[in-house]
C-alpha cells in the first residue's frame, strides 16, 4: 500500500476492500485540483468503522423481525434484565460480524432482541471494556450499530465502587454526569477523523444524561418504594482492571465523583454523538476503600454478588421505565 500507512496485518479481503476504498476516496479526489490526501491507517479504519457498523446492523436486521427503539446495556452481574425480554431472539457475540468477544465473568456475551412490556428492545447481555484489550472503537461499536438499527434511547447499567461515603453497598445511583479520566489522556472514542454520518465533530456533553429520563427514574422508583436506596451522582470512569488505590479513590472523590467504574462513559459519548437519548445507572457493588486503616478490599466476586442481590429491583425499575418511554418526536423544535 502507499506511503503514510503503517504496515499492518490486513487479510486479503480487507486489503482488497481498502484498495477499493483508497481508489475511490484518495486516488480520485473530489476536486481534481486538490492535492492527494494520503489518509493514515487510523483514518481508513475510522472510515471503515461506518462500513463495519452498517454491515453489522444489516446482518442483525436481516436475522430478526424486531426493530428496536430501545437499547439496553447490562453491566457486570446485571444480565438478568435480558431474561425479562419476551419472545427473545439471541445472537452470541461470536456469531455477529465485527462484534468483539466478552471475556469478563458475569458478562454472558450475547445480544437479545425482543419486547420489554411491549416495547421493541435490543439488550447487550455483557459489554466490552478497555482493560480486556479491545480498542475503544470496538467497545463502542454496539452503540453505532444500535443507532443504525433505529434505536432512539439507550439505557446503560454498570457496577461501580461507591466513593461517596453516604452510599451503601446495594444503592443504585442514577448518573447525572461523568468524569472521563482516560479522556484527559486523549483516550476518547471520537478521536480521529469525524464521521459526519454519525454526528458532529465536537458534540456537547453537558446534557449527556437526559433530564426527563432521570426524572422518570425518580418517579418510577418512588412508585416502587425504592427511594431508600436510590441516589443520583457523578460517575468517574478509569481504565482498570486493577481497582483503585486509596489515594486514587480520595483524589476522585475530591474531584466530585460519587462512584467509580471501568465502563459506560465511552458508550455514552458515542451514543450522544449519534444523538440517542441516554439514561445510565450504577449499582454500588462495593464501597471504595478511602482509609489506610480499612481492612476492606474491592473484588469482582462481591460485585457479582451485589448484582444478584439487587437484580430484581433493577429489572423492575428499568422495565417499568421502558413502558413509559415516549417515542422521540423528530419534528419537535
Ligand atoms: O461492566 P461493568 O462496568 O458493570 O463492570 C464492572 C467494572 C469492571 O469491569 C468490573 C469490576 O468488578 O465490574
Amino acid at each position: 500500500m502507499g506511503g503514510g500507512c503503517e504496515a499492518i496485518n490486513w487479510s486479503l479481503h480487507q486489503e482488497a476492500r481498502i484498495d477499493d476504498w483508497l481508489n475511490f476516496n484518495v486516488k480520485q479526489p473530489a476536486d481534481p485540483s486538490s492535492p492527494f490526501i494520503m489518509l493514515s491507517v487510523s483514518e481508513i479504519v475510522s472510515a471503515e468503522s461506518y462500513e463495519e457498523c452498517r454491515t453489522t446492523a444489516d446482518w442483525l436486521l436481516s436475522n430478526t423481525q424486531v426493530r428496536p427503539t430501545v437499547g439496553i446495556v447490562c453491566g457486570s452481574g446485571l444480565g438478568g434484565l435480558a431474561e425479562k425480554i419476551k419472545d427473545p431472539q439471541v445472537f452470541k457475540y461470536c456469531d455477529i460480524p465485527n462484534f468483539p468477544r466478552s471475556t469478563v465473568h458475569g458478562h454472558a456475551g450475547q445480544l437479545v432482541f425482543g419486547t420489554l412490556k411491549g416495547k421493541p428492545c435490543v439488550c447487550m447481555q455483557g459489554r466490552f471494556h478497555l482493560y480486556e484489550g479491545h480498542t475503544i472503537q470496538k467497545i463502542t461499536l454496539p452503540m453505532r450499530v444500535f443507532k443504525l438499527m433505529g434505536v432512539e434511547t439507550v439505557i446503560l447499567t454498570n457496577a461501580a465502587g461507591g466513593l461517596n461515603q453516604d452510599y451503601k453497598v446495594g444503592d443504585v445511583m442514577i448518573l447525572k454526569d461523568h468524569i472521563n479520566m482516560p479522556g484527559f489522556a486523549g483516550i476518547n472514542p471520537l478521536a480521529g477523523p469525524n464521521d459526519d454520518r454519525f454526528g458532529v465533530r465536537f458534540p456537547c456533553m453537558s446534557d449527556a444524561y437526559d433530564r426527563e429520563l432521570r426524572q422518570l427514574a425518580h418517579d418510577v422508583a418512588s412508585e416502587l418504594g425504592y427511594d431508600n436506596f436510590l441516589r443520583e451522582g457523578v460517575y468517574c470512569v478509569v481504565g482498570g482492571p486493577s481497582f483503585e488505590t486509596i489515594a486514587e479513590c480520595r483524589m476522585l472523590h475530591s474531584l466530585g465523583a460519587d462512584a467509580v467504574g471501568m465502563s459506560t462513559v465511552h458508550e455514552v459519548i458515542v451514543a450522544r454523538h449519534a444523538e440517542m437519548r441516554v439514561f445510565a445507572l450504577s449499582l454500588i457493588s462495593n464501597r471504595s476503600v478511602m482509609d489506610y486503616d480499612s481492612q476492606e478490599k474491592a473484588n469482582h466476586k462481591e460485585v457479582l454478588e451485589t448484582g444478584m442481590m439487587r437484580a430484581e429491583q433493577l429489572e423492575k425499575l428499568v422495565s417499568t421505565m421502558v413502558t413509559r418511554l415516549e417515542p422521540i418526536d423528530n419534528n419537535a423544535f
Side-chain angles (χ1 to χ4, degrees):
M1 287 181 352
C5 298
E6 66 261 23
I8 53 175
N9 178 26
W10 295 107
S11 70
L12 282 178
H13 169 65
Q14 283 170 316
E15 209 145 52
R17 285 174 59 193
I18 284 184
D19 282 344
D20 290 347
W21 192 90
L22 282 168
N23 286 329
F24 179 74
N25 289 284
V26 177
K27 292 174 184 161
Q28 300 162 359
D31 168 8
S33 64
S34 73
F36 276 124
I37 305 163
M38 281 312 290
L39 299 172
S40 71
V41 169
S42 61
E43 289 170 317
I44 292 174
V45 170
S46 59
E48 277 291 289
S49 75
Y50 182 86
E51 295 307 324
E52 271 189 323
C53 299
R54 184 77 270 172
T55 299
T56 305
D58 290 347
W59 184 89
L60 287 165
L61 293 175
S62 65
N63 285 282
T64 176
Q65 299 300 316
V66 178
R67 294 297 177 261
T69 56
V70 181
I72 299 169
V73 181
C74 298
S76 284
L78 303 173
L81 187 57
E83 313 296 333
K84 300 290 179 212
I85 290 182
K86 292 280 178 287
D87 309 319
Q89 272 185 287
V90 181
F91 300 94
K92 290 201 170 305
Y93 291 164
C94 57
D95 296 330
I96 304 172
N98 304 314
F99 245 59
R101 313 277 187 271
S102 263
T103 64
V104 177
H105 185 53
H107 289 255
Q110 53 193 23
L111 203 57
V112 183
F113 287 79
T115 57
L116 198 54
K117 308 272 185 177
K119 277 272 182 6
C121 289
V122 56
C123 183
M124 284 180 70
Q125 209 171 16
R127 62 135 64 80
F128 313 112
H129 310 83
L130 278 178
Y131 63 72
E132 294 175 73
H134 301 302
T135 65
I136 201 162
Q137 284 79 15
K138 274 294 184 189
I139 65 175
T140 55
L141 176 138
M143 294 301 106
R144 290 185 158 177
V145 172
F146 279 10
K147 176 68 178 181
L148 293 176
M149 290 197 295
V151 167
E152 298 171 339
T153 302
V154 179
I155 295 175
L156 305 106
T157 66
N158 64 58
L163 293 165
N164 185 315
Q165 296 303 287
D166 295 335
Y167 288 10
K168 298 183 296 302
V169 169
D171 281 359
V172 172
M173 185 190 84
I174 296 167
L175 274 71
K176 70 175 181 184
D177 203 352
H178 69 233
I179 296 173
N180 179 13
M181 290 304 278
F184 294 155
I187 300 174
N188 185 304
L190 303 181
N194 186 58
D195 194 322
D196 296 329
R197 291 171 289 188
F198 284 117
V200 298
R201 169 78 280 187
F202 301 104
C204 169
M205 285 296 143
S206 56
D207 60 351
Y209 299 90
D210 190 278
R211 189 181 294 275
E212 287 177 17
L213 294 179
R214 286 187 278 136
Q215 186 54 56
L216 174 62
H218 283 290
D219 296 344
V220 169
S222 293
E223 291 167 25
L224 296 172
Y226 294 172
D227 283 335
N228 59 316
F229 61 78
L230 191 70
R231 311 281 183 170
E232 181 165 314
V234 177
Y235 174 91
C236 179
V237 64
V238 294
S242 53
F243 287 108
E244 302 69 45
T245 65
I246 292 168
E248 288 167 342
C249 289
R250 287 179 168 188
M251 178 197 78
L252 296 178
H253 188 223
S254 69
L255 293 176
D258 297 291
V260 54
M262 304 178 191
S263 73
T264 308
V265 167
H266 316 304
E267 292 142 312
V268 168
I269 290 170
V270 170
R272 292 300 298 144
H273 180 245
E275 296 185 337
M276 293 187 284
R277 278 188 308 186
V278 164
F279 173 78
L281 54 79
S282 294
L283 171 63
I284 303 302
S285 53
N286 57 289
R287 284 167 51 88
S288 299
V289 182
M290 310 282 271
D291 184 339
Y292 287 99
D293 298 330
S294 167
Q295 301 303 314
E296 289 179 62
K297 291 185 186 307
N299 63 84
H300 193 60
K301 181 171 175 291
E302 166 187 43
V303 169
L304 300 180
E305 285 167 355
T306 310
M308 284 189 282
M309 179 267 280
R310 190 59 81 194
E312 188 181 338
Q313 289 98 337
L314 277 180
E315 288 153 18
K316 190 98 174 119
L317 174 63
V318 172
S319 56
T320 306
M321 284 182 67
V322 168
T323 58
R324 308 215 186 139
L325 288 180
E326 298 298 331
I328 290 180
D329 176 1
N330 289 316
N331 299 316
F333 290 96

